[in-house]
Amino acid sequence: FYNLENLFDTIHDEGKNDYEYLPEGGMHWTGLKYRHKVHNMAYALSQLGTDVTPRGAACIGVAEVENIGCLQDVAEEMRTQYDRNYIPILLEGPDRRGVDVGFFYNPDLFTPVNIRGHELNAHYADGGVVKTRLQLLVSGYLEGEKIHIIVNHWPSRYGGELASRPTRDTAAMLCKQICDSIYLKEPQAKIIIMGDLNDDPFNHSCAQVLNAKKDRREVGTQGLYNTMWKFLDRGNGSLAYNGAWNLFDQIIISESLLNADRKKWTYWKAQIFNKPFLTVQEGKDKGTPLRTHKANVWLDGYADHYPTMIYVIREKK
């Protein structure tokens, strides 16, 4: 999973509040900047998983994307520059800024059979409606074996963590309902929840509402295991804020991926993809993600989050 940090094109989309990312907008978002952003995203995505497998990632969830055209541009760049074949998926949601979650898959490894967007029905403390991203469910076959992936970008901490907590609790409830609906038809379903949850693994939405466990030994039937929690305990995160690390970019898996027959897909390990090329190398921000902008200054970086990943394995026949 990778939060791409404001992957906007330079053209106004009717009904979207994308004015900041237009050539005349606050970010002075020109064609040159967009092309650099697409190139940087394509390079980063093409490198995911290559520590282990030359083919790279089978499936990639993404966030903060304006439209399917942006993902198509990234996919084309990956194909022509890095010999990576990915097909993008994006469903438009009601987010007030006009960004959505999306999905890339390698058709040689993954075949989608069902794609559905789930809209969040939540309200702020003042009664206002939360207009946020869909939760994107992509169900399909990973080299012949059924798997369900839910891509998330939960409501932000706008107004403070405590005041905005109910919106993310509601998002967690929706995610749990999606899992339950899958289990009704497939009691042993293999489910991967991924996304920028705007909460850490220990926060209420993840630890209590989703009930995603830190210790895999505590995960019961149809329970959830948070593959990222122990990274945070060791002081590692996916984004830095005011000098402290958070791990909002989480990957949570169903019990069926923990205790699978070794002849079928089973969880192996997780990773924060915090490579040097994605990282600030000097100055007061040294060691944190090299982002696209800071204080409205174009840095020509990547994103303000690191990608997070899991590997699944099975015995070779």
Side-chain angles (χ1 to χ4, degrees):
F1 173 79
Y2 196 13
N3 181 323
L4 303 183
E5 191 196 9
N6 295 316
L7 180 58
F8 283 86
D9 62 23
T10 61
I11 303 165
H12 174 57
D13 283 7
E14 193 64 36
K16 291 189 177 182
N17 184 15
D18 59 359
Y19 299 102
E20 189 178 24
Y21 282 88
L22 295 176
E24 64 275 14
M27 293 298 184
H28 304 290
W29 194 241
T30 62
L32 172 69
K33 291 181 178 180
Y34 176 64
R35 287 192 297 274
H36 276 245
K37 177 74 171 181
V38 166
H39 175 79
N40 290 350
M41 296 298 90
Y43 177 69
L45 293 168
S46 73
Q47 296 302 300
L48 296 178
T50 53
D51 291 353
V52 172
T53 170
R55 291 192 293 182
C59 302
I60 308 169
V62 294
E64 291 199 12
V65 180
E66 184 179 17
N67 53 47
I68 188 64
C70 295
L71 291 189
Q72 289 168 340
D73 288 345
V74 172
E76 179 65 11
E77 184 82 2
M78 284 196 279
R79 185 184 68 80
T80 58
Q81 299 299 316
Y82 305 112
D83 196 27
R84 290 274 189 256
N85 181 24
Y86 285 105
I87 296 175
I89 294 170
L90 184 143
L91 300 179
E92 294 275 354
D95 182 77
R96 61 185 178 84
R97 292 181 60 239
V99 293
D100 294 290
V101 298
F103 189 79
F104 288 105
Y105 66 94
N106 180 338
D108 294 333
L109 302 174
F110 182 81
T111 304
V113 294
N114 187 45
I115 301 160
R116 184 178 175 188
H118 295 262
E119 187 169 341
L120 181 67
N121 181 15
H123 295 80
Y124 294 110
D126 62 5
V129 176
V130 178
K131 293 184 178 180
T132 193
R133 286 71 57 174
L134 299 175
Q135 294 188 17
L136 177 64
L137 171 62
V138 181
S139 302
Y141 288 88
L142 181 62
E143 291 199 326
E145 191 175 335
K146 188 77 170 290
I147 199 160
H148 305 269
I149 301 171
I150 309 169
V151 187
N152 297 263
H153 188 189
W154 290 359
S156 74
R157 293 187 166 192
Y158 179 77
E161 187 275 326
L162 186 61
S164 60
R165 181 184 298 174
T167 64
R168 289 183 299 284
D169 283 355
T170 306
M173 284 187 270
L174 174 60
C175 197
K176 185 77 164 55
Q177 288 168 5
I178 296 170
C179 292
D180 291 343
S181 67
I182 294 169
Y183 284 135
L184 283 175
K185 296 179 180 178
E186 300 174 45
Q188 299 298 316
K190 293 183 174 179
I191 301 172
I192 299 172
I193 298 166
M194 61 169 67
D196 176 356
L197 308 187
N198 273 304
D199 267 338
D200 284 309
F202 58 80
N203 285 129
H204 187 263
S205 60
C206 302
Q208 273 76 48
V209 181
L210 273 184
N211 197 25
K213 302 295 188 182
K214 174 166 52 171
D215 188 339
R216 60 188 296 165
R217 293 171 297 183
E218 296 179 3
V219 181
T221 302
Q222 296 186 350
L224 296 171
Y225 172 63
N226 197 323
T227 68
M228 310 308 299
W229 196 328
K230 291 180 180 178
F231 287 106
L232 195 60
D233 284 354
R234 296 194 290 266
N236 300 315
S238 59
L239 71 156
Y241 182 71
N242 288 341
W245 284 102
N246 293 102
L247 219 173
F248 291 174
D249 304 274
Q250 299 179 46
I251 301 181
I252 296 167
I253 62 174
S254 60
E255 177 270 339
S256 51
L257 273 163
L258 279 180
N259 302 310
D261 180 332
R262 282 299 184 130
K263 292 182 174 61
K264 297 183 178 180
W265 291 123
T266 187
Y267 170 73
W268 177 34
K269 67 176 183 176
Q271 179 182 357
I272 300 173
F273 195 75
N274 51 5
K275 298 296 184 181
F277 76 89
L278 292 171
T279 303
V280 178
Q281 297 298 317
E282 58 186 12
K284 69 182 184 68
D285 294 325
K286 183 178 179 180
T288 63
L290 176 59
R291 56 193 301 174
T292 305
H293 289 98
K294 184 172 182 185
N296 288 358
V297 175
W298 183 48
L299 304 179
D300 194 20
Y302 292 82
D304 53 350
H305 295 238
Y306 286 130
T308 52
M309 305 164 37
I310 64 166
Y311 297 89
V312 294
I313 57 174
R314 67 183 178 192
E315 286 183 3
K316 189 174 181 180
K317 294 180 181 177

